[in-house]
Amino acid sequence: MEPFAEQQKPSVPWHLWLTAVAACLFFIWCFDLVP
């Protein structure tokens, strides 16, 4: 059995949020959507 299976897992890992925010900012900047 894995020891970390007993711990509560967050719904979404923080690094996925970071990656999603970075991707959104990059695409917004890339397509020049910033006013």
Side-chain angles (χ1 to χ4, degrees), residues 1 4-5 12 17 19 25 31:
M1 293 293 179
F4 57 82
V12 180
W17 281 114
T19 304
L25 289 176
F31 290 115

Side-chain angles (χ1 to χ4, degrees), residues 2-3 23 30:
E2 297 149 344
C30 193

